[in-house]
Amino acid sequence: MNGMASDHNTSSQEEYLPHYLQKEDPFASKLSREADIIAGFYLTVIGILSTLGNGYVIFMSSKRKKKLRPAEIMTVNLAVCDLGISVVGKPFSIISFFSHRWVFGWMGCRWYGWAGFFFGCGSLITMTAVSLDRYLKICHLSYGTWLKRHHAFICLAIIWAYATFWATVPFAGVGSYAPEPFGTSCTLDWWLAQASVAGQAFILSILFFCLLFPTAVIVFSYVKIILKVKSSTKEVAHYDTRIQNSHILEMKLTKVAMLICAGFLIAWIPYAVVSVWSAFGQPDSVPIQFSVVPTLLAKSAAMYNPIIYQVIDCKFACCRSGGLKTLQKKSSLKKSRMYTISAHRDSTAMNETQLGV
């Protein structure tokens, strides 16, 4: 019986054909022309806002590149990933939606899928590194102080190598990139899991190393931070004022990182759920009209980050300027006190000299 069942499963896997092989033209849109036009306008707005926002973040950061903190360097890298998605990927999908079909063929499909996966993976791994940096800075003050700028650049090299490896693995013959069921976009070939055990192993590896493990690290880091914050006030109170001010700034940077990670996960989790269901659920059980919504939501993730960063960064600037004014006031008070004391000493000395005469 077990042998018959395994033979049946093997034959069903061999007989299964993904959606892009079932029809003569896999790149023809399965949506109405009106729906494609709406999606095209939506992606155009998202692409413009994302390009302007992330470009602004990179431009402003380049003006003070020598003063960027490690966490800010990571934020700039996140802006680079989001800008890459907007500049390299979105024009392909926008043109295809307005054309009512994917017009770039299989070569363009594979390039588009690689670029989207590469920059998306780079964004998630960058946020994972940021969450670990926040965890060390908030939960282990003594260990967080040794994290310097050169450590951030080493981390960036690891992030880009990691994203390059996993995005390029499908070209080695263990995976592939394929058109989405609605026809006007391309993605990782999740449907390989329906075809063979090797395909299942590939998809599971991608899910673990490029989604589940990074997300688990992010959740762990911020849960530990939230628990630590409750007792941090008493602990930091024992340090001097300089360390207390630094800790306040680290907490504000942590809030930015938490909001960015939350926005990214909220945008991408629906797409991940639909993709996993396409890979391991009943073949072709996800309605085409339903599959396009998570895809469009995921493509909007690149727009949120610069908005979050810039809005809260304005508060940082106010805090920094306020802190600077406070230091200047303290410095001027010290100078005035020294002048008063010295003047008082001089007048006292003059009076004593006159009395002596």
Side-chain angles (χ1 to χ4, degrees):
M1 293 292 292
N2 293 333
M4 293 178 62
S6 61
D7 292 339
H8 177 72
N9 291 334
T10 303
S11 62
S12 63
Q13 287 181 342
E14 291 176 352
E15 292 174 359
Y16 172 73
L17 288 177
H19 63 88
Y20 52 86
L21 295 179
Q22 293 175 3
K23 299 181 180 180
E24 295 181 359
D25 189 0
F27 298 124
S29 176
K30 312 305 186 296
L31 304 174
S32 65
R33 185 171 294 275
E34 292 76 13
D36 277 336
I37 292 175
I38 293 173
F41 276 115
Y42 169 80
L43 290 180
T44 300
V45 173
I46 294 296
I48 292 174
L49 293 178
S50 175
T51 301
L52 293 176
N54 289 290
Y56 178 76
V57 171
I58 296 171
F59 173 73
M60 295 302 295
S61 299
S62 65
K63 289 187 174 182
R64 49 187 295 270
K65 56 185 177 181
K66 294 183 178 180
K67 298 180 181 180
L68 292 176
R69 304 162 66 90
E72 293 173 320
I73 293 174
M74 292 296 173
T75 303
V76 174
N77 189 65
L78 185 61
V80 171
C81 292
D82 291 339
L83 184 64
I85 292 175
S86 302
V87 174
V88 176
K90 282 189 173 58
F92 286 81
S93 56
I94 291 172
I95 294 173
S96 297
F97 274 113
F98 282 126
S99 301
H100 197 50
R101 63 174 288 108
W102 180 263
V103 297
F104 301 100
W106 277 103
M107 186 65 70
C109 181
R110 294 186 180 98
W111 161 251
Y112 177 85
W114 180 90
F117 189 33
F118 172 73
F119 288 114
C121 182
S123 296
L124 183 57
I125 303 303
T126 299
M127 287 185 287
T128 304
V130 169
S131 67
L132 286 175
D133 174 73
R134 298 295 87 210
Y135 169 71
L136 289 174
K137 289 288 182 68
I138 302 301
C139 298
H140 302 280
L141 295 177
S142 58
Y143 294 100
T145 54
W146 67 269
L147 291 170
K148 305 299 181 183
R149 282 169 55 91
H150 66 275
H151 294 115
F153 290 114
I154 294 173
C155 189
L156 290 185
I158 296 174
I159 290 170
W160 287 109
Y162 192 92
T164 302
F165 173 78
W166 285 108
T168 311
V169 161
F171 294 129
V174 296
S176 182
Y177 294 100
E180 298 268 17
F182 50 88
T184 48
S185 181
C186 293
T187 184
L188 191 70
D189 193 347
W190 300 99
W191 301 271
L192 286 174
Q194 299 281 357
S196 65
V197 175
Q200 293 177 359
F202 168 71
I203 295 300
L204 287 174
S205 299
I206 291 292
L207 286 174
F208 179 78
F209 289 104
C210 300
L211 179 62
L212 297 179
F213 178 70
T215 303
V217 173
I218 291 172
V219 172
F220 167 81
S221 299
Y222 290 124
V223 167
K224 296 291 288 185
I225 288 172
I226 291 172
L227 295 176
K228 185 68 176 179
V229 165
K230 295 180 179 180
S231 59
S232 63
T233 304
K234 295 180 180 179
E235 182 177 343
V236 176
H238 297 290
Y239 294 92
D240 58 24
T241 304
R242 182 177 60 84
I243 295 180
Q244 291 180 11
N245 293 335
S246 177
H247 183 71
I248 292 173
L249 179 59
E250 297 296 343
M251 287 302 303
K252 291 180 178 179
L253 289 172
T254 301
K255 292 178 182 178
V256 174
M258 291 178 69
L259 288 174
I260 289 175
C261 290
F264 183 90
L265 294 177
I266 290 172
W268 278 96
I269 283 179
Y271 179 77
V273 171
V274 171
S275 299
V276 171
W277 183 258
S278 299
F280 298 101
Q282 293 296 323
D284 304 324
S285 59
V286 179
I288 293 177
Q289 291 77 9
F290 180 76
S291 66
V292 71
V293 176
T295 302
L296 295 177
L297 179 62
K299 293 179 185 298
S300 67
M303 180 187 67
Y304 305 146
N305 297 339
I307 296 175
I308 295 171
Y309 182 75
Q310 288 302 316
V311 167
I312 302 185
D313 190 59
C314 291
K315 297 181 180 179
F316 288 176
C318 293
C319 292
R320 291 191 187 109
S321 62
L324 180 61
K325 291 178 181 178
T326 303
L327 291 174
Q328 290 175 346
K329 288 180 180 179
K330 289 182 179 179
S331 177
S332 62
L333 286 174
K334 288 181 180 179
K335 289 181 179 180
S336 61
R337 288 174 183 173
M338 291 176 64
Y339 177 79
T340 304
I341 293 172
S342 61
H344 177 71
R345 287 177 177 174
D346 291 342
S347 62
T348 303
M350 290 179 64
N351 291 334
E352 289 177 350
T353 303
Q354 292 175 356
L355 288 173
V357 173

